[in-house]
Amino acid sequence: MNVPLLIARRYFFSKKKRNIISIISNISMVGVAVGTMALIIVLSVFNGLEDLVRGLYGKSDPDLMISAMQGKSFPVDSAFIDRITAVPGVALVTQVIEDNALLQYHDRQMVVKMKGMSENYFAQSNIDSAIVEGDHRLVRDGQDYALLGAGVQHELSIALDNRLSPLRLLYPRNTGKKLLSMNPETAFNEQAILAGGVFLIEQRIDDSYIFVPLGFARDLLLYGNRRTSLEVRVGDEHSVDDVKDELRQLLGAKFQVLDSDEQHVSLLKAIKVEKMFVFITFAFILLIASLNIFFSLSMLVIDKKKDVAILRAMGATTQLVRNIFLLEGAIVAMVGAITGLVLGVSICWLQQTFHLVSMGMATAVVDSYPVKMQATDIVLTGLAIIVITISVSIRPALNAARLDVRDNL
């Protein structure tokens, strides 16, 4: 029989406890429950936001992206492509040329990110599911077409498949001189292309990107056999991390191979840092709420002086007395933590299932706040509660263990 636990349970459920001690204990349990519930909910919201970001960029991001460590572009030939496709797990390699260009339509213009892609791009990406107007194909009946972000189309009021007024893309010529010629006919390369479709992925992409055929971008930018990146699709039966390691070993230090998370490392890192600070903040709130456990235990020690003296007279050790009050604090904290955990998980489940709390914006990417529960968050919350409980319970427990038997009999 676990004597300290038995006595701690009797103290917890005792109806003879002083009223003020009972009130403080109940306040402690409510505070821990509310703090635990809030921590689970907030961490789940951050998990949902992280998944939302991955989902949004997943429509256009490759499994792996190869780019040069130094410089904007690197030479690519068939032998180089064959070396990459020979790596186990590489299912598809797409050649990409990406750079800024000036887009003109009628009397309006803006600087856009032009991304030229080889014909197999849509076998790698599911961006065709993000098309909201027009056709996703970049080449139709031998004619080049551009895919526009919804923000770009709105900014320039572009009409699709307007053969009378096609889009004009301009890129500065590399004349080898420090000064750019003021004559636009000699200062810029210029090509026309029809607008074929509009995509809606994510605001940053929608407001600045247009997709064009690789040959169109190559001719406008005069890149020849140079490419800014290669996008790799990994086969379903292979691990992305394993293929990434193989490619890094094959290509050496001159190239970097990035997975989807590494392509947006700054954004995802910002979410993780915010999540960490939120966890620390709520842990401090839990600590403040748990201070009531310290006060209730201190008062309980005073109230149970005679009980402690009798136990010591019967042969109870200092460790046994100390464990009684440590377990009493643990019971108070665990009841509150389990209650808060059940409430937090229930609220998150209701939000995931019924989308009770909406974003409140008509232009929001999702209708309701995204939430995702993770076992690691529950474990970390539990560990935080254990550490906090021990911290606030140890002092009253030590005071109880040091009581002089002769003064209290």
Side-chain angles (χ1 to χ4, degrees), residues 250-324:
L250 172 69
L251 299 174
K254 292 184 178 180
F255 294 90
Q256 58 180 352
V257 183
L258 306 177
D259 59 27
S260 182
D261 285 356
E262 290 169 338
Q263 293 168 41
H264 307 289
V265 63
S266 57
L267 180 59
L268 293 174
K269 186 177 181 180
I271 294 176
K272 290 182 183 295
V273 169
E274 289 178 0
K275 180 181 175 181
M276 180 186 69
F277 277 104
V278 166
F279 178 83
I280 293 173
T281 302
F282 275 87
F284 274 109
I285 293 173
L286 274 173
L287 176 60
I288 294 172
S290 300
L291 287 177
N292 288 315
I293 298 177
F294 171 83
F295 295 122
S296 65
L297 284 181
S298 298
M299 298 182 68
L300 187 63
V301 169
I302 297 172
D303 187 51
K304 300 299 181 181
K305 280 184 177 181
K306 291 189 179 295
D307 292 2
V308 173
I310 293 172
L311 287 172
R312 295 296 299 273
M314 293 174 62
T317 63
T318 300
Q319 183 179 1
L320 186 144
V321 174
R322 184 188 64 202
N323 290 343
I324 290 172

Side-chain angles (χ1 to χ4, degrees), residues 351-371:
Q351 177 66 10
Q352 281 182 313
T353 307
F354 301 105
H355 310 293
L356 301 178
V357 182
S358 66
M359 295 294 288
M361 297 182 294
T363 58
V365 178
V366 290
D367 295 331
S368 60
Y369 277 95
V371 294

Side-chain angles (χ1 to χ4, degrees), residues 117-289:
M117 306 172 297
S118 53
E119 295 180 0
N120 59 2
Y121 179 77
F122 293 102
Q124 174 172 185
S125 171
N126 60 349
I127 192 175
D128 51 329
S129 63
I131 300 299
V132 295
E133 186 179 354
D135 194 316
H136 74 275
R137 291 175 296 171
L138 296 176
V139 180
R140 284 177 264 162
D141 301 326
Q143 175 72 51
D144 289 341
Y145 286 85
L147 294 181
L148 314 172
V152 175
Q153 185 204 27
H154 176 75
E155 180 71 19
L156 301 184
S157 303
I158 297 172
L160 298 186
D161 207 8
N162 186 354
R163 297 180 180 274
L164 297 178
S165 298
L167 306 177
R168 296 171 60 218
L169 283 159
L170 293 87
Y171 186 79
R173 287 181 179 174
N174 184 9
T175 61
K177 299 177 181 179
K178 293 183 179 180
L179 297 177
L180 184 67
S181 171
M182 298 302 294
N183 184 358
E185 294 183 359
T186 60
F188 293 93
N189 295 325
E190 179 182 340
Q191 287 191 187
I193 190 171
L194 295 175
V198 179
F199 59 81
L200 188 63
I201 300 175
E202 188 271 335
Q203 185 175 2
R204 184 185 66 85
I205 297 176
D206 300 339
D207 290 348
S208 59
Y209 268 82
I210 70 167
F211 298 153
V212 298
L214 181 68
F216 178 90
R218 180 193 61 217
D219 295 341
L220 177 65
L221 276 57
L222 301 179
Y223 262 46
N225 69 335
R226 303 187 69 85
R227 305 290 181 262
T228 57
S229 65
L230 298 176
E231 298 185 354
V232 177
R233 180 166 67 86
V234 177
D236 296 334
E237 68 280 4
H238 291 82
S239 166
V240 172
D241 290 335
D242 292 342
V243 177
K244 179 175 66 174
D245 293 339
E246 289 284 343
L247 287 173
R248 284 178 175 174
Q249 186 175 0
L250 172 69
L251 299 174
K254 292 184 178 180
F255 294 90
Q256 58 180 352
V257 183
L258 306 177
D259 59 27
S260 182
D261 285 356
E262 290 169 338
Q263 293 168 41
H264 307 289
V265 63
S266 57
L267 180 59
L268 293 174
K269 186 177 181 180
I271 294 176
K272 290 182 183 295
V273 169
E274 289 178 0
K275 180 181 175 181
M276 180 186 69
F277 277 104
V278 166
F279 178 83
I280 293 173
T281 302
F282 275 87
F284 274 109
I285 293 173
L286 274 173
L287 176 60
I288 294 172

Side-chain angles (χ1 to χ4, degrees), residues 34-50:
V34 172
T36 303
M37 177 185 68
L39 187 55
I40 293 295
I41 293 173
V42 172
L43 292 180
S44 297
V45 169
F46 274 99
N47 295 334
L49 290 174
E50 190 173 336

